[in-house]
């Protein structure tokens, strides 16, 4: 595979690379995109091979682009709550929460994983938007007692059905007790680092929140060595697997004009009383969306890559929604897609047409995502 020189050696420091980038790149990382101003590989081998291997074995993912906004200080919890309608008051020190974050209009600014690291310290593990500016602005305006920084932390994904076997070899059998969306600390380079049972796939696995950059190569090599008989390989977040499973992507499926209700994230919104979320009053008026995310199956052979939204139309040719992500879901031998569909046409079983670059295709609304 020929890597363009400008990717192998970016000609600027503007696009950042994580400490795991050299190893991931040497393993074949390519089709990079910039996410939180950091490179992330879309593929390592071929998309279909990466997909099947993720379901069969274990992969190491350089997801250093999942940046950690650290909120530290007496008002850290308050600042988190100002940004999200999810109730974070009951969070324990070993928990992770998936939180929609919203602006004053109740519209989504990000969809991070929130970690409570200590009673006065949270990490907001962000998707691709400059969410740190929200926290800095609100903290300054309200004169909060909190330090808002981007932590020097680069998550390493350890994903796939054999991830548990791998991590228990390095950190002991106790890690097998870790529950989904809980975290604990493990020794790495003589330091204690956070590892969570989480990740951007539904194949099981962990995310190690690697601190600093020293020893990243050595850790990668050690995991590769320990996992050799598990068929460990480098990987990266897999589009087909996340689309068929309904894991949403901010700036693809969730856009800044959407509310959490439109994104289907109403279950993460506490609407009984005002806990302090800046968008709460606006959200109260937006609880009944007129469009919402839906799984959609698109008929026929594989489709070309989706580079702009594809229109979804009804029998009369009226536009009733958009497709924001589409893939070949090889396990199910279908084209799986994520759409934002008007309430008039969002019921499961509704037949629609998707205007793809390969021409119009018949499509149907599903009642659930394939991988669920
Ligand atoms: N891990 C970490 N940070 C991240 C991501 C991640 N930041 C960016 C991006 N991914 C944020 N988006 C998501 C989307 C879905 C999930 C996590 C992050 C996810 N959802 C589970 C699900 O839908 O089954 C669990 C949701 C729940 O029930 O709480 O895991 O991947 N560190």
């Amino acid at each position: 595979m020929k890597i363009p020189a400008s990717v192998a050696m970016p000609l600027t420091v503007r696009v950042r690379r994580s400490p795991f980038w050299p190893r991931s790149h040497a393993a074949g990382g390519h089709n990079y995109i910039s996410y939180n101003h950091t490179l992330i590989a879309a593929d390592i081998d071929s998309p279909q091979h990466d997909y099947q291997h993720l379901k069969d074995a274990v992969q190491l993912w350089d997801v250093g682009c999942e940046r950690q906004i650290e909120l530290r200080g007496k008002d850290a919890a308050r600042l988190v709550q100002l940004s999200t309608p999810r109730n974070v008051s009951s969070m324990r020190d070993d928990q992770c929460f998936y939180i929609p974050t919203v602006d004053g209009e109740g519209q989504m600014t990000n969809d991070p994983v929130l970690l409570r690291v200590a009673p006065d310290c949270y990490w907001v593990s962000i998707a691709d938007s400059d969410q740190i500016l929200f926290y800095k602005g609100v903290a300054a305006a309200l004169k909060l007692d909190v330090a808002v920084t981007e932590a020097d932390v680069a998550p390493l994904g350890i994903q796939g059905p054999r991830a548990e076997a791998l991590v228990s070899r390095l950190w002991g059998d106790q890690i097998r007790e870790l529950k989904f969306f809980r975290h604990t600390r493990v020794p790495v380079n003589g330091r204690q680092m956070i590892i969570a049972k989480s990740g951007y796939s539904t194949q099981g696995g962990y995310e190690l929140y690697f601190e600093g950059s020293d020893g990243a190569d050595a850790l990668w090599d050690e995991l590769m060595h320990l996992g050799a008989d598990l068929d460990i390989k480098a990987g990266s977040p897999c589009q087909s697997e996340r689309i068929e499973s309904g894991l949403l992507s901010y700036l693809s499926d969730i856009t800044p004009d959407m509310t959490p209700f439109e994104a289907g994230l109403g279950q993460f919104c506490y609407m009984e009383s005002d806990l302090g979320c800046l968008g709460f009053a606006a959200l109260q008026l937006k609880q009944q969306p007129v469009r919402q995310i839906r799984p959609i199956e698109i008929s026929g052979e594989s489709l070309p890559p989706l580079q702009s939204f594809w229109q979804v139309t009804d029998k009369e040719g009226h536009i009733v929604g958009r497709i924001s992500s589409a893939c070949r879901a090889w396990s199910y031998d279908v084209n799986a897609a994520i759409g934002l569909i008007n309430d008039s046409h969002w019921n499961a079983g509704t037949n629609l047409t998707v205007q793809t670059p390969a021409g119009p295709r018949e499509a149907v609304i599903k009642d659930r995502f394939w991988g669920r």
Side-chain angles (χ1 to χ4, degrees), residues 35 66 68 86 98 111-113 125-127 180-181 198-200 202 207 209 247-248 268 372:
Y35 188 102
E66 296 166 359
Q68 308 305 303
R86 184 153 182 191
Y98 180 45
D111 69 330
V113 175
S125 183
I126 55 169
F180 186 61
F181 265 49
S198 60
Y200 201 56
T202 58
E207 292 178 296
Y209 290 78
L247 293 176
L248 304 180
F268 301 114
R372 296 287 183 165

Side-chain angles (χ1 to χ4, degrees), residues 81-84 102-106 134 138 142 276-282:
Q81 193 68 78
L82 282 157
S83 74
T84 180
V102 299
D103 61 19
E105 307 303 315
F134 175 98
V138 172
L142 297 183
C277 171
L278 284 175
F280 183 75

Side-chain angles (χ1 to χ4, degrees), residues 84-87 100 102 259-261 265-272 280 283 287:
T84 180
R86 184 153 182 191
N87 183 354
V102 299
T259 67
F261 302 109
L265 301 178
Q267 70 197 100
F268 301 114
C269 299
Y270 180 83
M271 300 306 296
E272 309 290 302
F280 183 75
L283 280 177
Q287 292 184 68

